Amino acid sequence: MAAPVRSMSSPSGITCNTTSFQKKSRSKLVSIPGTRPSVQNGQLIVSTGVTSLDYVIGGGLAVGTLLLIEEDRYDSYSRMLLKYFLSEGVICGHELFVASAQDHPDEILQELPAPILDDVTSPQPGQEQAQSSDSDSADDMKIAWRYQNLPKVQTALASSARFGHYYDVSKTMSPDMRQASKCHTFYLPEQPPAESTPTSSMSEAYMALLKAIQRVIHQQGFDGSAPQSKMRNVLRLGLHSLGSALWGDDLCCRESPAHSHSLTTFLYALRALLRSSLSVAMVTVPSHLIQSRVLMGRITRLSDTSIALESFRGSEKETNPLYKDYHGLLHVREVPHLNCLVCEVPDTKDLAFKLKRKQFTIERLHLPPDLSDTVSRVSKVELAAGCGSSATGNKHLDF
Amino acid sequence: MLLDVLQGAEAGTFIIFLDSVNFSGRSLLKGYINAALKREDVVHVLELEVSEEELRAGLDTQCARRMYFHGGFADPLGWIKRSSFTVPQFTSEDILTLLTPVQQSKSAVLVIDSLSWLLRHLDPVVICKRLQEIKRGGAVKTIIGLLHSDMHQTSLVGSVCHLATTVISLGPRTQGQWALAKTTKRTKSGKVLQEEELFSIQEDLTVHSRVSHTVHTQAEPDSVEADPMANLTFNLRLSEMEREAKEKVALPFVFSQEKKSALLHPGQGAGQIMYEPDANDDFDQEDPDEDLDV
C-alpha cells in the first residue's frame, strides 16, 4: 500500500440498497490539494510539475514513492526538474524538504520558476493544433480518401485532464508566494558532526539526512501520528545530487568504492519511510560519474520510478540534424509497480525533451525518413542475400 | 571565450586547466597569473610541483609583488618542517589563515599548482569537500587548479571537474605555436557554453586566441555525394507542360473538394432515393440475437 487511500473498503450500506453495487464516491477519498487518484490503479498521485513527465511515468507520482533522476552531464536540466517539482509543491500548498550538499537549499528555493497562473497566457495545445492544421490545409497532400481523415500524429505527450501547472523559467517565484508554504532545509556543511560512530553501513552524511527526514515526517504528522482532525498534507522531498563527492561518498571517485552500500542502504531506508507516510521524493544522482554499472543498477532498482536525462550539450548529437529541435534525450529506466505485478509501460521508448521558456516538454522522437543512401540502407541491402547485392558498390541506380 | 575566462571578473568561480603529458598547461597558468596581476588582483600560489623561481620567471617584477607563494615545493609533506604549507593543511581554515596576513580590499586569486599533487596525497572526497568550502567561503574570488588528466582515473577527473564552473582542456599543438583549448563554462543560470579555440602564448605571457577551424573541416563530408539522378536510363524530371498534364489527371480513391460537395448536395436534375423504414425491416443482418430483445 503506497498511499493510504481507503475508499471502497467499508461494507456498510449494503442493507439499505437493493444492490451491492456502490458508486465510488469522490468525497470518501482523502482530499488533499494538488493530489488526485490515479485513473489506472486508484493510487493517490501528485504532479511532478512537468505535465508531460507526469504522462510518461503513468499519470503522476504516486504518494509514498521515490523518483530517481539521473543527472545530465552538466546538471542543468535535472536541476530544472527538481525546481519544477518544488514549485509545484509550493503552488499546491504542500510542505517541502530540500537537501543539498553543493548549493544552499535556500539558493535553490530562491531560483524556483514563477507559475503561469492565469489561463489566458498558458500555452493551450488545442489552439496551437487548430492553427497549425488551418495553415496546413492550404497545401494539402493529395491522398486516398481512406487516409485523409486519420488523426495527426501528436508528438507532444499530454494527458487529457489538466493536472499540474506551467512555469515561466525566465521569472522567479515571488518571495511571498514561496514563504506561504512550509519549507525544511538540510544543508550538509551546516550540520553538526555526528557524536556517535556510525554502526550501520550508511555513511554519516546519509545517516544525518535520514534522521532529519524522519524527524520532519514524525513531527509534522505525515506518518499519520497526528490526530485525524488536522488537515492532511503531502511532504515533497527534493534531494539534490546524492552520491556525489560532496555527500562524502566515493561512488563517483573510485571504480570500486569503499562504501559501496552507503547510498543503497540510504535509499532502502528512505523508501521504507516514504511508504509509511504521506510523502513523495525526487532524488537526483550524477550517474554519469558513477563508473560501476552494477551499483547504478542497484540504485535504479531501489527507486520506484527512474528516468535518465541525456543532454546533447557537448556530445556529437548536438550537431546531428535529427535532434535539432530538442535539448536532450529522456530514457525511462524504470516505471513503478504499485500493488500489482504488471505496470504501465510507456508506448514508446524514444523520448526527447526540450526546455522552452514556459514549458518543459517531452515528446516522442520521430525520425524523419532517411533519404541519404549511405547510412542504414547499405547494410540492409547487404543483409538481403539474393537480389541487389551487386548494386551496393556503385552509387547510381541501376535498373 | 578563452580570453573572457582569463579576464574573468566574476566572483566565486573555480577554473580547472586540464592538461596531459602531450601539452603542459603551466604556460597558460602563467598567462592567467600575468593577466590577474595586471588587473591588480592579489595572487596566492600553492606551489607543490615547481619552484617559486620557475613560476616567477618571465613575470613583470613590478606586478609580481602582489604575488604570494605558500611553498610546499621544498617539503610538501612536512618532514623537515621547513615549508609554510603542507598537504594535510589543505582545509578552508588553514587556507584562510594563509591569506589573512595580506588580506586587502582587493580580491584574491588562489592558484593551486597542482591539484594532481593534492589528489595523490589526500582522499579525493575530502579534496572535493574542501574545494567547495573554499569556493563558497567568499574569501577567495577565484580558484584556479591545474589538473593532469592522465595521472588519475577518469572517474576522479570527472568528479573534480563536476565541481568546477569552468574547465579548459588543453590539447597538443596542432600547427606551429598554436595549441588547442576546449572551454566549457557553466553559467549561474545553468546554461553551458562550449567553445574550441586555438591559442598561443607570447614571450611577455599575453595570450592570443583565434577560432579553431579544424572542427568545422572535420564535420564536412570528405567525399562529394554522387548524384543518384546522374546516369539514369529514364526520365525523372518533369517539364512545365508535363506537370500541368499530371495535375489534371483525376486520381482514383481521392476525395476532392468538388466530389465531396457533389455527393453531399446533389444537383437539380439528379435522381434521389427516398426510403422510409418498415416495421419488418431487418436492421442488422449479421446479428443472430436481434429477436431476443436484450
Side-chain angles (χ1 to χ4, degrees):
Chain A
M1 192 75 184
V5 184
R6 298 182 189 91
S7 58
M8 313 206 301
S9 55
S10 70
S12 67
I14 296 174
T15 46
C16 56
N17 286 339
T18 50
T19 167
S20 64
F21 177 76
Q22 267 191 310
K23 193 164 179 276
K24 184 174 164 186
S25 62
R26 209 157 265 271
S27 61
K28 281 189 181 176
L29 290 169
V30 182
S31 66
I32 301 171
T35 66
R36 71 168 187 201
S38 162
V39 285
Q40 279 128 24
N41 47 16
Q43 296 280 342
L44 194 66
I45 55 173
V46 296
S47 170
T48 55
V50 179
T51 316
S52 44
L53 180 63
D54 286 342
Y55 181 85
V56 170
I57 61 175
L61 210 53
V63 173
T65 61
L66 178 73
L67 169 63
L68 181 85
I69 291 178
E70 295 183 20
E71 288 174 13
D72 53 302
R73 181 167 288 274
Y74 301 108
D75 188 28
S76 33
Y77 298 107
S78 49
R79 202 184 158 93
M80 212 59 234
L81 283 183
L82 186 71
K83 284 189 233 166
Y84 278 124
F85 175 75
L86 296 171
S87 299
E88 183 68 26
V90 171
I91 300 302
C92 299
H94 298 160
E95 282 198 33
L96 303 182
F97 181 97
V98 191
S100 171
Q102 193 170 5
D103 300 315
H104 198 282
D106 289 340
E107 286 171 30
I108 298 178
L109 286 169
Q110 272 163 20
E111 292 169 5
L112 292 186
I116 306 168
L117 284 176
D118 72 358
D119 283 328
V120 183
T121 51
S122 76
Q124 283 172 332
Q127 260 182 16
E128 281 172 25
Q129 287 281 317
Q131 280 169 4
S132 62
S133 65
D134 279 350
S135 61
D136 280 359
S137 61
D139 49 355
D140 240 346
M141 190 166 41
K142 270 190 181 174
I143 194 164
W145 57 270
R146 168 74 180 74
Y147 304 104
Q148 216 163 34
N149 295 324
L150 283 182
K152 273 196 142 186
V153 176
Q154 208 177 355
T155 50
L157 300 170
S159 57
S160 49
R162 176 86 180 272
F163 189 47
H165 299 83
Y166 292 103
Y167 297 91
D168 189 342
V169 187
S170 59
K171 291 185 210 132
T172 55
M173 195 181 276
S174 68
D176 320 337
M177 194 183 270
R178 212 171 55 230
Q179 275 146 21
S181 70
K182 210 168 175 183
C183 186
H184 311 269
T185 57
F186 179 94
Y187 183 48
L188 185 65
E190 282 178 0
Q191 295 301 312
E195 57 274 5
S196 63
T197 51
T199 48
S200 69
S201 55
M202 219 186 298
S203 71
E204 274 177 41
Y206 292 140
M207 198 52 140
L209 176 60
L210 193 67
K211 278 186 176 153
I213 294 172
Q214 198 174 17
R215 207 178 311 129
V216 168
I217 284 180
H218 190 71
Q219 283 174 359
Q220 307 296 324
F222 291 107
D223 54 355
S225 65
Q228 289 292 312
S229 58
K230 200 184 163 198
M231 183 74 174
R232 292 229 214 163
N233 205 347
V234 171
L235 176 70
R236 279 177 188 247
L237 303 150
L239 314 180
H240 181 243
S241 220
L242 280 192
S244 72
L246 296 176
W247 280 98
D249 205 332
D250 55 356
L251 275 185
C252 302
C253 302
R254 297 210 182 91
E255 268 162 40
S256 52
H259 312 289
S260 60
H261 296 300
S262 207
L263 183 58
T264 46
T265 317
F266 170 77
L267 287 175
Y268 191 72
L270 176 66
R271 204 153 75 136
L273 256 182
L274 294 176
R275 282 286 196 271
S276 57
S277 62
L278 276 176
S279 48
V280 58
M282 180 186 268
V283 175
T284 69
V285 168
S287 66
H288 59 95
L289 294 174
I290 298 178
Q291 298 294 308
S292 163
R293 289 294 99 195
V294 180
L295 212 56
M296 200 53 229
R298 276 186 211 153
I299 292 170
T300 306
R301 297 297 299 172
L302 280 167
S303 51
D304 296 292
T305 319
S306 172
I307 59 167
L309 299 177
E310 181 193 342
S311 162
F312 293 149
R313 208 100 253 281
S315 72
E316 66 268 20
K317 284 175 181 163
E318 191 177 7
T319 50
N320 193 329
L322 292 182
Y323 299 123
K324 67 179 192 304
D325 293 334
Y326 301 103
H327 289 141
L329 294 180
L330 184 128
H331 308 282
V332 179
R333 298 263 195 259
E334 174 143 324
V335 277
H337 305 242
L338 296 171
N339 302 341
C340 56
L341 293 173
V342 287
C343 58
E344 185 80 357
V345 182
D347 54 353
T348 172
K349 291 242 162 67
D350 296 320
L351 297 169
F353 66 85
K354 62 181 159 190
L355 179 66
K356 290 186 284 191
R357 195 165 67 86
K358 291 189 172 173
Q359 215 179 344
F360 184 99
T361 50
I362 300 165
E363 297 185 358
R364 291 189 190 93
L365 192 64
H366 283 277
L367 300 183
D370 183 11
L371 294 175
S372 68
D373 58 350
T374 48
V375 211
S376 56
R377 207 159 307 171
V378 173
S379 60
K380 268 182 206 160
V381 171
E382 277 164 1
L383 279 176
C387 61
S389 58
S390 60
T392 54
N394 41 359
K395 286 210 164 177
H396 60 86
L397 303 176
D398 206 0
F399 287 86
Chain B
M1 199 155 83
L2 181 68
L3 294 183
D4 292 345
V5 173
L6 293 189
Q7 285 309 320
E10 267 180 83
T13 50
F14 175 24
I15 305 170
I16 287 184
F17 291 134
L18 204 62
D19 69 351
S20 65
V21 72
N22 293 324
F23 181 77
S24 167
R26 192 158 287 116
S27 52
L28 190 62
L29 192 71
K30 279 179 87 169
Y32 183 92
I33 293 172
N34 186 47
L37 290 173
K38 285 267 163 62
R39 59 168 192 264
E40 307 217 321
D41 282 350
V42 179
V43 179
H44 295 269
V45 184
L46 300 183
E47 36 141 13
L48 296 161
E49 235 166 60
V50 295
S51 64
E52 184 177 339
E53 290 74 39
E54 202 178 329
L55 267 180
R56 270 192 197 275
L59 287 171
D60 184 13
T61 45
Q62 197 65 31
C63 293
R65 272 193 224 149
R66 281 192 303 277
M67 195 165 157
Y68 300 93
F69 284 87
H70 306 289
F73 176 65
D75 177 23
L77 297 176
W79 289 352
I80 47 174
K81 310 261 186 282
R82 262 178 46 195
S83 58
S84 55
F85 172 79
T86 56
V87 170
Q89 282 181 327
F90 187 70
T91 60
S92 53
E93 296 88 38
D94 283 328
I95 295 289
L96 212 61
T97 47
L98 283 180
L99 301 193
T100 35
V102 282
Q103 193 62 277
Q104 292 153 3
S105 56
K106 288 167 190 144
S107 47
V109 176
L110 179 69
V111 178
I112 304 171
D113 180 24
S114 68
L115 275 172
S116 292
W117 185 276
L118 288 177
L119 285 167
R120 296 205 66 84
H121 291 281
L122 277 180
D123 187 16
V125 173
V126 175
I127 303 250
C128 289
K129 273 186 160 177
R130 289 180 184 168
L131 280 172
Q132 181 74 6
E133 272 169 31
I134 296 170
K135 183 180 150 198
R136 287 188 56 91
V140 179
K141 191 182 91 168
T142 314
I143 310 172
I144 323 277
L146 188 64
L147 185 64
H148 309 307
S149 59
D150 45 2
M151 271 177 73
H152 312 280
Q153 287 177 351
T154 48
S155 52
L156 185 56
V157 174
S159 294
V160 177
C161 289
H162 192 61
L163 292 178
T165 49
T166 308
V167 178
I168 304 174
S169 50
L170 306 167
R173 286 155 202 267
T174 46
Q175 67 239 36
Q177 55 179 342
W178 297 93
L180 194 67
K182 198 174 166 191
T183 314
T184 309
K185 188 178 175 187
R186 277 198 264 188
T187 60
K188 278 225 147 190
S189 58
K191 207 179 247 178
V192 180
L193 306 169
Q194 269 184 328
E195 206 176 346
E196 217 160 285
E197 283 159 299
L198 291 173
F199 72 94
S200 76
I201 298 159
Q202 307 300 311
E203 284 291 310
D204 59 342
L205 292 174
T206 50
V207 180
H208 295 272
S209 79
R210 66 168 201 218
V211 181
S212 159
H213 295 290
T214 52
V215 190
H216 301 291
T217 48
Q218 273 175 3
E220 290 286 313
D222 42 5
S223 67
V224 182
E225 287 273 318
D227 184 11
M229 302 223 289
N231 300 316
L232 291 179
T233 52
F234 53 90
N235 186 18
L236 270 183
R237 291 178 180 81
L238 286 177
S239 68
E240 271 307 308
M241 290 253 297
E242 285 165 331
R243 189 187 305 280
E244 272 172 35
K246 175 179 161 263
E247 274 161 12
K248 271 183 197 157
V249 174
L251 296 171
F253 307 115
V254 168
F255 244 21
S256 65
Q257 210 58 279
E258 301 88 58
K259 211 167 164 184
K260 213 183 215 170
S261 60
L263 281 171
L264 288 173
H265 314 286
Q268 280 294 313
Q272 282 187 347
I273 298 171
M274 309 291 282
Y275 176 71
E276 282 174 15
D278 202 39
N280 297 327
D281 267 347
D282 190 2
F283 279 113
D284 191 357
Q285 305 229 337
E286 307 278 307
D287 190 2
D289 299 329
E290 62 183 347
D291 53 336
L292 286 179
D293 197 24
V294 281

